[in-house]
Amino acid sequence: MGLGMVLGSHLSPLARSHIEQADVVFAALSDGVVEIWLERMHSDVRSLQSYYGDGTDKPRITTYREWVDVMMSEVRAGKRVCAVFYGHPGVFAWSPHEVIRVAREEGYAAHMEPGISAEDCLYADLGIDPGRTGCQHYEATQLLFYKTPLNPQAYLVLWQVGLVGDLSMKRFATGPEYRQVLVDVLARDYPLDHEAIIYRGATLPVQQPRIRTTTLRELPKIDISSEETVVLPPASTLISNDEVVERLRKLDQALDVPATAG
């Protein structure tokens, strides 16, 4: 289940009920304070953070597989297990999808309860309506690995830019040289002086979201954490598809659909 992004504020009554009724609660959260808060709701909360290890040599996918194994061991023992993840448990999270797949494959009932995600907070904090011009989302490294067509008429949201270009799955940050590769790819569709917004949502009620603005050209020079997201506003206005609009107008006429006032 998803705990949401802001401590206490985003927890739904249904999510709270799942936590309280579980035999054991596993937690992969954004802050130690959030873990302490969760422990007040249940007597057996087990943090998953220690599986990352002390150094950076351990691939993250190894950690995520260990999470699945430790959760499934309790499920196989006949316990009612609740795994709590910050934000939305199905967004940029491999383990929740995988543990549900494994559990169902073995005949156990498994369910994902959504939570308020970083994307939801981003729309609210930046005042973006994805329905106005469209909005495209990509994990930054994935965008580099594949020849992906971009639409400069829509918002572009890039996740995990602080990790862009990491092939090892061991690092928790990459440097300006890697961000320069990202900029070079984006420059095919966006001017270098185009605005880039660096965003991090609040995780505690006393915090405010962190919003910084720069240009695409300057992006490699700015330190960006793995928790921050980069947003490029539309670089051009929507272009009317006059041929299709006319076709729809004639279809309305043929079907005697009343014209919209104004």
Side-chain angles (χ1 to χ4, degrees):
M1 55 145 285
L3 198 64
M5 298 304 297
V6 179
L7 171 63
S9 304
H10 294 168
L11 183 66
S12 70
L14 182 56
R16 179 183 288 272
S17 174
H18 284 310
I19 293 171
E20 294 173 342
Q21 294 177 22
D23 296 317
V24 56
V25 177
F26 289 99
L29 303 174
S30 58
D31 195 297
V33 174
V34 184
E35 284 192 9
I36 294 173
W37 174 80
L38 182 62
E39 289 169 354
R40 296 177 181 176
M41 298 174 56
H42 199 282
S43 60
D44 190 2
V45 175
R46 306 179 191 180
S47 175
L48 294 170
Q49 295 299 323
S50 62
Y51 289 88
Y52 280 115
D54 296 330
T56 59
D57 291 336
K58 185 178 182 180
R60 288 190 298 280
I61 189 62
T62 300
T63 296
Y64 301 153
R65 287 179 177 137
E66 289 174 345
W67 288 4
V68 173
D69 290 342
V70 71
M71 288 187 281
M72 283 304 303
S73 67
E74 296 298 328
V75 172
R76 294 175 184 127
K79 295 182 180 179
R80 183 181 177 90
V81 176
C82 180
V84 181
F85 294 81
Y86 70 91
H88 190 300
V91 178
F92 291 98
W94 182 84
S95 298
H97 288 287
E98 180 65 8
V99 75
I100 286 176
R101 184 194 68 79
V102 172
R104 289 175 176 173
E105 193 174 76
E106 296 184 13
Y108 299 101
H111 168 73
M112 180 179 288
E113 187 65 29
I116 294 176
S117 69
E119 177 186 349
D120 301 317
C121 297
L122 182 149
Y123 291 144
D125 292 335
L126 298 185
I128 294 174
D129 180 354
R132 292 195 66 183
T133 62
C135 191
Q136 51 204 327
H137 293 256
Y138 294 102
E139 198 276 335
T141 299
Q142 182 193 60
L143 184 67
L144 298 186
F145 284 179
Y146 301 97
K147 295 181 179 180
T148 304
L150 298 179
N151 176 15
Q153 299 175 38
Y155 280 93
L156 174 62
V157 181
L158 297 172
W159 300 92
Q160 299 181 331
V161 171
L163 286 169
V164 67
D166 176 36
L167 299 173
S168 68
M169 288 285 287
K170 296 180 180 180
R171 290 177 287 184
F172 288 89
T174 53
E177 301 87 354
Y178 292 84
R179 290 193 294 278
Q180 185 61 56
V181 176
L182 175 64
V183 168
D184 292 344
V185 170
L186 295 173
R188 300 169 186 169
D189 296 282
Y190 296 86
L192 287 173
D193 61 354
H194 190 65
E195 181 184 34
I197 304 168
I198 304 170
Y199 167 81
R200 179 177 181 177
T203 58
L204 298 175
V206 295
Q207 293 178 338
Q208 293 295 319
R210 187 184 189 195
I211 302 171
R212 298 181 285 166
T213 58
T214 185
T215 62
L216 190 57
R217 178 184 286 105
E218 297 298 313
L219 204 58
K221 303 176 185 178
I222 299 176
D223 288 334
I224 301 175
S225 71
S226 59
E227 294 84 12
E228 290 181 297
T229 303
V230 173
V231 180
L232 300 186
S236 60
T237 58
L238 295 172
I239 301 173
S240 175
N241 191 336
D242 295 335
E243 180 181 348
V244 173
V245 171
E246 179 61 18
R247 179 180 175 185
L248 293 173
R249 187 188 65 80
K250 290 180 179 179
L251 183 60
D252 282 350
Q253 288 182 338
L255 297 176
D256 197 24
V257 177
T260 301

